Amino acid sequence: MPTSLATIKDRLSTHIGQELMVVAQAGRKKTTERHGILKETYPAVFVVDLDQDENSFERVSYSYTDILTQNIQIDFGNNNEDDNQ
């Protein structure tokens, strides 16, 4: 698991344009699973364009802190250990 926000941002920046799955905590013992494409990374957040067949809105953003605190998990689907932020 990455230990700094800069490391998380750098790793995500190498995957811009790739498909991913985000599993986010939605409350007590509830999670939401969203599929999309990593669109852009910014200094504090990253943007995911969502699959329109599964979601009612176009894009969502998350902060790098969400990954650091394990509020979300990201999977790029290629089973590379570096990708499982």
Side-chain angles (χ1 to χ4, degrees):
M1 182 176 95
T3 57
S4 74
L5 297 176
T7 304
I8 294 169
K9 182 185 182 308
D10 291 341
R11 287 186 181 177
L12 283 177
S13 293
T14 64
H15 294 286
I16 290 176
Q18 293 183 6
E19 290 188 18
L20 60 85
M21 178 182 67
V22 178
V23 179
Q25 299 297 323
R28 247 182 160 196
K29 298 182 182 181
K30 293 182 183 178
T31 59
T32 58
E33 190 174 293
R34 295 185 173 131
H35 298 268
I37 296 174
L38 180 61
K39 191 65 174 177
E40 291 189 64
T41 58
Y42 294 100
V45 297
F46 60 96
V47 178
V48 177
D49 280 347
L50 297 175
D51 183 0
Q52 291 302 297
D53 296 335
E54 298 177 5
N55 300 286
S56 60
F57 41 94
E58 292 183 20
R59 58 178 71 110
V60 65
S61 64
Y62 297 100
S63 73
Y64 304 117
T65 307
D66 291 330
I67 296 173
L68 188 65
T69 59
Q70 297 182 354
N71 287 333
I72 65 170
Q73 285 87 36
I74 296 177
D75 183 20
F76 286 96
N78 56 7
N79 294 327
N80 186 345
E81 190 171 316
D82 287 341
D83 296 341
N84 294 327
Q85 310 283 325

